Amino acid sequence: MVFGKHFIGDVKAPVEKALKCLLEVNPTLGFIESHKVVYKRTGKSDKVILISGGGSGHEPAHAAFIGDGMLDVVVAGDIYASPSAAQILVGLEAIERSKGTLMIVKNYTGDKLNFGLAAQKARAKGDVSVVFVNDDASLDAESLVGRRGLAGTVFVHKAAGAAAAHGLQLSEVTRIAQKVSDNLATVAVSLDRCSVPGRTDQEGLPAGEIEYGLGIHNEPGVLRTGISDLQTTVSKVLSYLLSSSSPISLNPSDQIAVMINNMGGLSILELNVIAEEVFQQVSKTNHGFKILRKYIGPFMTSLDGPGFSVTLLKLDDETIKLLDEPTNAPAWPKQFDLSHDEPVESRISRYSAPEKPAYSSKNHLIVTPEILTQVASAILKRIQKEEPTITKYDSIVGDGDCGTTLLKGATAIHEAFQNNKVDTTDISTVFESISEIVEINMGGTSGAIYGIFLNALVNNLRMVDGGNGLKSVFQQSLSGALQELCTYTLARKGHRTLMDTLIPFVETFEKTGDLKKAVAEGAKGCEDTKKMEAKLGRASYVNAEQLERDGGVVDPGALGLKCILEVLEEELAA
């Protein structure tokens, strides 16, 4: 992460601009720009009004939780700064509040003081209640400032909002909000601090360290330690949530909701992997908790913080019903009917491959299986050695996955030989098995090219007459496979792809029958890619300066195939 590097580093009033954007896509919202107040213009007003807010930088909290069945008014401060009492008072006047107002406030000093002052002033014009949320399980409740309010606050928004939508009195809505707040616990962990727009001299965590117990304002956590595997990290988070000092006490067989919150900087893929591990560990603890509701996504972020938080909410029938009530608040996740929920494992099916057509081996194609096993092992060793280089080149000219994709395929092929999973009836069945392994384990363009070529090679091997020996069969079959491949790809020699290795190799072997010469021509074609302009693939999007730096960058796909062919020639020669 590069701290301070932002598209909006020079933008004046970024909070106001971000809030105005909400109005672009949501016609139900109004905005008092001078005081950074966003409010619901439509819907019922003869109800308890819910108001929340705080410093900005936690999006989608809080304004994206405005909607029927959730919040009515949100007051935003500057990034990580509480709104003033004057702002909050304007927010209180944004909507008629004949049945009173509930303030939902995170337990931070600035928020408590400013919302508290506004509440005192507003009580002259109507009933105002305040619920403070302090769900941070990493801090000691006995400290002077108490626990911080974190992502669990959104659960309070939802339950109280649903209660207010049903027309309950302020005292009842307040009771429900307080009950939910009292049954929450949240802990966060992050790989690094977030980057604050416009702020210089920002300091991140040392490489190789993570931090547990962070707040949502870039403040330090309670424990900094070395990065461990995901299982250990999740286990540590849960240890805080389930400790004796946690704000909630869970008993065996308690029903809970679990929220996995993206703190802003994690990819959806990474967050889902983390969430799956959390669900597995919570379900398999010896506490016997039953997870009735699961929520994954960005709920309360810390700008682009590369971390996540886990919230546990103890449920009762009332809370479950309120969580399930509909809302059109944009940031609340879509709910599915869980009344007939079946275990995940029971919904995972296993693919069974159809039976292959009967095939009779051809004598001229029969080879010694031990030789093939030895070749597969040698190819794996070479790819393991070259993978960092291939990945480095692909990170410059592509998407950085060429080396790992090739290694994954080579590893799977080697393991298949070691476990007798390759059909060694003859060389065509060997390549048929390898093509199936490639199709399953190698994605992307290179995987598709290898797959098409190998399948075409199998078909050609079985069609070509073997009267002139195995070398002649391969000369014709490789040529035929290349022709078929060229009907599916526009890549040719000179286009800076793996075809710059494959085409000269096949053409030379077809003409000469000399494997050593053919591999040498393929290697030359690979080396020539350093000087080529990319015309196909992701490298075609890269500017010429990047391709030409350090004397030129070899095409990673061409390099990977070159390594395979060189090992093949060495092993067969031996």
Side-chain angles (χ1 to χ4, degrees):
M1 178 187 292
V2 180
F3 288 98
K5 187 176 182 180
H6 293 273
F7 290 111
I8 64 170
D10 61 344
V11 172
K12 304 299 181 185
V15 172
E16 288 88 336
K17 289 181 180 293
L19 293 174
K20 285 171 69 175
C21 182
L22 297 178
L23 275 65
E24 297 277 3
V25 296
N26 188 345
T28 70
L29 297 180
F31 181 39
I32 304 173
E33 186 172 6
S34 59
H35 289 71
K36 295 195 277 290
V37 172
V38 184
Y39 61 95
K40 184 159 63 77
R41 297 169 57 234
T42 61
K44 296 168 60 177
S45 60
D46 58 336
K47 59 178 280 296
V48 173
I49 300 302
L50 265 62
I51 182 170
S52 190
S56 296
H58 309 306
E59 293 73 19
H62 299 80
F65 292 111
I66 295 176
D68 296 336
M70 286 195 79
L71 298 178
D72 300 289
V73 181
V74 162
V75 187
D78 290 328
I79 293 175
Y80 293 166
S82 170
S84 68
Q87 286 179 258
I88 298 165
L89 281 168
V90 170
L92 284 165
E93 298 300 324
I95 298 178
E96 182 182 352
R97 47 193 181 95
S98 59
K99 297 187 72 171
T101 301
L102 172 63
M103 291 181 170
I104 300 172
V105 184
K106 299 184 299 300
N107 187 37
Y108 289 95
T109 302
D111 288 348
K112 288 182 69 176
L113 291 175
N114 284 295
F115 275 91
L117 175 57
Q120 291 298 323
K121 288 190 171 185
R123 282 182 177 133
K125 296 183 180 181
D127 290 340
V128 178
S129 293
V130 183
V131 168
F132 296 108
V133 183
N134 49 0
D135 53 321
D136 188 351
S138 67
L139 293 179
D140 184 359
E142 303 304 319
S143 66
L144 193 60
V145 294
R147 304 182 191 274
R148 298 169 292 201
L150 300 176
T153 307
V154 178
F155 276 139
V156 182
H157 293 164
K158 180 63 183 69
H166 276 287
L168 299 185
Q169 297 299 312
L170 178 60
S171 59
E172 273 297 285
V173 176
T174 303
R175 177 190 65 80
I176 288 168
Q178 190 64 60
K179 179 181 71 171
V180 173
S181 178
D182 292 342
N183 283 281
L184 285 172
T186 300
V187 168
V189 61
S190 186
L191 299 167
D192 211 337
R193 303 289 173 76
C194 67
S195 178
V196 182
R199 186 177 296 176
T200 58
D201 300 326
Q202 301 183 59
E203 184 178 343
L205 298 184
E209 290 192 359
I210 59 175
E211 197 162 25
Y212 294 89
L214 292 90
I216 55 174
H217 300 94
N218 226 14
E219 66 266 45
V222 297
L223 174 66
R224 185 183 292 184
T225 185
I227 296 177
S228 54
D229 60 85
L230 178 60
Q231 186 175 7
T232 302
T233 301
V234 169
S235 178
K236 182 66 176 177
V237 169
L238 293 180
S239 72
Y240 283 109
L241 291 168
L242 302 175
S243 71
S244 58
S245 60
S246 175
I248 60 173
S249 177
L250 292 171
N251 299 311
S253 302
D254 273 344
Q255 298 176 336
I256 60 172
V258 181
M259 175 189 289
I260 291 85
N261 171 57
N262 190 344
M263 295 189 71
L266 298 183
S267 68
I268 295 173
L269 185 149
E270 187 166 8
L271 186 69
N272 284 343
V273 174
I274 291 167
E276 173 65 13
E277 180 63 30
V278 172
F279 294 146
Q280 291 298 316
Q281 289 202 28
V282 172
S283 298
K284 293 178 180 178
T285 61
N286 56 10
H287 300 280
F289 305 134
K290 184 174 183 181
I291 306 176
L292 294 189
R293 299 294 182 268
K294 302 172 184 177
Y295 304 89
I296 308 169
F299 295 93
M300 187 169 289
T301 64
S302 182
L303 290 171
D304 59 354
F308 68 95
S309 65
V310 178
T311 300
L312 303 183
L313 168 62
K314 186 191 293 189
L315 297 172
D316 59 18
D317 291 343
E318 181 182 50
T319 305
I320 294 171
K321 182 179 178 182
L322 294 170
L323 290 180
D324 290 346
E325 288 289 333
T327 178
N328 60 5
W332 184 255
K334 178 182 178 180
Q335 296 294 288
F336 294 91
D337 181 8
L338 300 176
S339 58
H340 303 291
D341 187 29
E342 299 175 16
V344 170
E345 288 300 322
S346 70
R347 290 179 275 141
I348 298 176
S349 58
R350 301 291 182 263
Y351 172 74
S352 297
E355 290 187 13
K356 296 179 183 178
Y359 168 72
S360 299
S361 64
K362 300 180 183 297
N363 290 334
H364 66 276
L365 296 180
I366 295 175
V367 295
T368 307
E370 288 76 16
I371 294 176
L372 301 173
T373 303
Q374 183 177 331
V375 170
S377 178
I379 288 174
L380 175 59
K381 289 179 182 177
R382 178 68 180 275
I383 298 301
Q384 287 173 330
K385 178 182 177 182
E386 300 292 343
E387 181 272 323
T389 302
I390 297 171
T391 297
K392 175 186 174 183
Y393 289 160
D394 196 41
S395 297
I396 297 172
V397 304
D399 54 9
D401 70 339
C402 184
T404 54
T405 296
L406 191 60
L407 179 59
K408 185 178 179 182
T411 301
I413 292 168
H414 173 261
E415 290 177 351
F417 272 106
Q418 294 296 316
N419 297 318
N420 297 316
K421 299 293 186 180
V422 176
D423 185 348
T424 57
T425 301
D426 66 26
I427 194 63
S428 74
T429 61
V430 170
F431 280 115
E432 186 176 37
S433 296
I434 291 174
S435 70
E436 292 170 355
I437 295 168
V438 165
E439 290 167 21
I440 293 171
N441 291 278
M442 293 179 65
T445 302
S446 61
I449 289 176
Y450 279 112
I452 292 171
F453 184 79
L454 289 169
N455 276 286
L457 179 60
V458 171
N459 293 331
N460 278 271
L461 285 170
R462 292 174 178 176
M463 290 188 296
V464 173
D465 180 66
N468 293 322
L470 188 57
K471 181 188 289 187
S472 174
V473 170
F474 266 99
Q475 286 175 280
Q476 297 176 67
S477 298
L478 287 168
S479 179
L482 179 59
Q483 290 178 36
E484 290 190 42
L485 174 60
C486 286
T487 65
Y488 293 97
T489 177
L490 297 174
R492 299 292 187 271
K493 283 172 63 176
H495 286 175
R496 206 177 197 286
T497 70
L498 67 77
M499 299 294 277
D500 287 294
T501 299
L502 180 62
I503 292 174
F505 165 74
V506 172
E507 289 180 343
T508 303
F509 189 70
E510 181 191 13
K511 291 176 183 176
T512 67
D514 188 324
L515 182 59
K516 188 172 184 177
K517 285 184 179 179
V519 172
E521 285 300 311
K524 181 178 180 298
C526 172
E527 186 66 18
D528 287 345
T529 61
K530 281 185 177 181
K531 306 166 188 175
M532 292 177 187
E533 176 187 354
K535 296 181 179 179
L536 290 170
R538 287 184 172 88
S540 62
Y541 309 133
V542 180
N543 65 55
E545 290 183 2
Q546 283 183 277
L547 295 178
E548 294 169 1
R549 72 185 194 184
D550 301 325
V553 179
V554 172
D555 180 76
L559 177 58
L561 179 57
K562 168 182 170 285
C563 294
I564 293 172
L565 295 176
E566 287 177 343
V567 171
L568 189 64
E569 189 272 326
E570 292 166 3
E571 291 299 317
L572 293 181

